[in-house]
Amino acid sequence: GQNIDQPTEMTATEGAIVQINCTYQTSGFNGLFWYQQHAGEAPTFLSYNVLDGLEEKGRFSSFLSRSKGYSYLLLKELQMKDSASYLCAVMNTGFQKLVFGTGTRLLVSP
Amino acid sequence: DGGITQSPKYLFRKEGQNVTLSCEQNLNHDAMYWYRQDPGQGLRLIYYSQIVNDFQKGDIAEGYSVSREKKESFPLTVTSAQKNPTAFYLCASSIYPGTGFQETQYFGPGTRLLVL
């Protein structure tokens, strides 16, 4: 089967650092994606990991451990505009079908 | 300016009525997808298409139909057989085939379907 787990909701303060975890169990693995989705809007692509390790992109970083079925998204210097849902998605082998987690709703307060 | 457009932004359906959601892309992507998003649930795949004139059922295809007559267009019809159609519908596209990163899916702005 396929299963992706993320915390439902997290809160943090402006300027702080927050880590959003994602664990997965899938029948095949061809990469892990993180998307940001503001309420009522489309998901926008944040990062892609296929090899173990950390990928850094400005204030956002994403980490992957394939042996542990684990990823996290790290957001630094939080801003109010970072309040959104963050979706973890795993791409299966074969036809590149994305399996999405339920998303983590992040609320950034002043 | 390349991107994916969906119309309408809001759509109302009456009982027993079929409605069609539009999705157009000018990214020259081969693959297109339709997802449904409900509160508290992840995006669920309805249908996908890798090339023109070909499409495959996703995880929740019952009550839906699609066509892919042009590379740029992938309309979704929500039929009267879909008993719980109220949801946020998202269309996406990606390059196919390619490496994992090249197959990043890019989403349109979505259509919110409500049942009267």
Side-chain angles (χ1 to χ4, degrees):
Chain A
Q2 301 171 114
N3 193 43
I4 298 177
D5 287 316
Q6 308 178 233
T8 302
E9 195 168 287
M10 299 181 71
T11 58
T13 306
E14 200 173 11
I17 299 172
V18 70
Q19 177 174 311
I20 301 174
N21 295 325
C22 171
T23 58
Y24 64 89
Q25 294 172 313
T26 58
S27 54
F29 181 83
N30 197 27
L32 186 145
F33 293 81
W34 283 96
Y35 284 85
Q36 181 190 60
Q37 185 179 24
H38 285 100
E41 298 182 9
T44 55
F45 168 74
L46 287 178
S47 69
Y48 169 75
N49 294 71
V50 67
L51 300 176
D52 291 351
L54 188 69
E55 295 280 344
E56 296 186 78
K57 192 185 291 185
R59 294 190 298 115
F60 292 10
S61 303
S62 56
F63 172 83
L64 176 67
S65 169
R66 289 172 296 170
S67 62
K68 296 182 180 177
Y70 168 70
S71 174
Y72 67 72
L73 181 69
L74 192 72
L75 291 74
K76 302 176 186 175
E77 300 169 15
L78 281 172
Q79 302 175 10
M80 298 296 289
K81 68 179 182 180
D82 297 329
S83 292
S85 289
Y86 292 85
L87 313 180
C88 173
V90 174
M91 181 169 281
N92 284 338
T93 50
F95 176 63
Q96 279 71 10
K97 177 180 166 181
L98 276 180
V99 178
F100 282 86
T102 55
T104 298
R105 186 180 171 197
L106 174 66
L107 179 62
V108 180
S109 58
Chain B
D1 201 13
I4 303 175
T5 57
Q6 290 185 243
S7 61
K9 190 177 176 88
Y10 295 96
L11 186 59
F12 299 92
R13 193 191 92 164
K14 297 179 181 178
E15 292 288 338
Q17 187 180 42
N18 293 351
V19 292
T20 297
L21 284 62
S22 168
C23 177
E24 304 278 331
Q25 55 97 1
N26 62 4
L27 300 168
N28 200 32
H29 285 172
D30 287 297
M32 297 186 75
Y33 315 78
W34 273 105
Y35 292 91
R36 170 182 172 140
Q37 188 174 36
D38 295 280
Q41 297 197 41
L43 274 68
R44 292 183 290 167
L45 184 64
I46 304 173
Y47 268 98
Y48 61 95
S49 169
Q50 297 167 255
I51 56 172
V52 175
N53 293 322
D54 185 59
F55 48 83
Q56 306 295 329
K57 292 182 179 180
D59 301 318
I60 55 165
E62 186 175 349
Y64 299 98
S65 66
V66 292
S67 62
R68 188 82 187 280
E69 297 176 2
K70 298 187 299 182
K71 187 175 183 177
E72 302 79 17
S73 178
F74 191 41
L76 173 75
T77 296
V78 184
T79 75
S80 57
Q82 172 49 243
K83 297 306 177 189
N84 185 23
T86 297
F88 189 43
Y89 290 86
L90 288 158
C91 178
S93 69
S94 69
I95 297 171
Y96 178 81
T99 65
F101 174 71
Q102 289 178 316
E103 279 144 351
T104 300
Q105 293 183 20
Y106 297 93
F107 288 83
T111 292
R112 193 165 295 279
L113 177 61
L114 300 165
V115 177
L116 295 177

